[in-house]
Amino acid sequence: KEASGTGNMKLALNGAVTIGTLDGANVEIAEEVGDDNIFIFGLTVEEVNELKANGYNPHDYYYKDPEIKAVLDWLETDYFTPGKPGALVSIKQSLLDNGDPYMVLADFRAYSDAQIAVD
């Protein structure tokens, strides 16, 4: 097993553009490769703490962002698992019903925007 940051470092050494949050190895990568080669997205530590203190509710993001809703609802279909609708619904449940402990939905819009910026 290898930490994702180690993998990102190897990719950066070989010229890959990185999209990531500003933590772990990405901090060091950002310092070395410059802004043209890394796209940082997501909440800061302070923002995460504030969101937790105010009561993070992933359903807020699900209902307010049509793209998030569409993606998560798509997991209930058989688009990714032909002939097996609902096979991926546990991902949706993990994010919505189990509290989204890594705040994936809170970072989704920033991630999507970073992908657009890379293009």
Side-chain angles (χ1 to χ4, degrees):
K1 292 184 179 181
E2 183 174 273
S4 64
T6 304
N8 283 350
M9 283 186 170
K10 289 178 180 178
L11 292 168
L13 286 170
N14 286 291
V17 172
T18 300
I19 298 177
T21 56
L22 191 59
D23 60 0
N26 289 341
V27 172
E28 296 171 45
I29 293 170
E31 291 171 357
E32 296 298 325
V33 302
D35 291 343
D36 291 343
N37 297 302
I38 191 165
F39 293 81
I40 299 299
F41 72 91
L43 301 172
T44 64
V45 171
E46 294 80 16
E47 290 169 330
V48 167
N49 291 335
E50 182 179 336
L51 191 53
K52 285 180 180 179
N54 292 330
Y56 175 60
N57 183 355
H59 285 90
D60 292 342
Y61 295 86
Y62 175 75
Y63 289 114
K64 288 179 185 173
D65 189 320
E67 187 177 8
I68 289 175
K69 186 173 187 318
V71 168
L72 292 182
D73 290 349
W74 213 1
L75 296 173
E76 295 181 284
T77 72
D78 68 348
Y79 183 83
F80 299 107
T81 56
K84 299 178 184 176
L88 300 176
V89 75
S90 64
I91 298 169
K92 180 179 179 179
Q93 291 168 338
S94 172
L95 293 169
L96 293 177
D97 301 332
N98 297 333
D100 185 16
Y102 298 105
M103 298 186 164
V104 172
L105 298 185
D107 276 344
F108 180 86
R109 174 62 30 225
Y111 172 76
S112 183
D113 293 345
Q115 287 287 348
I116 291 167
V118 170
D119 288 341

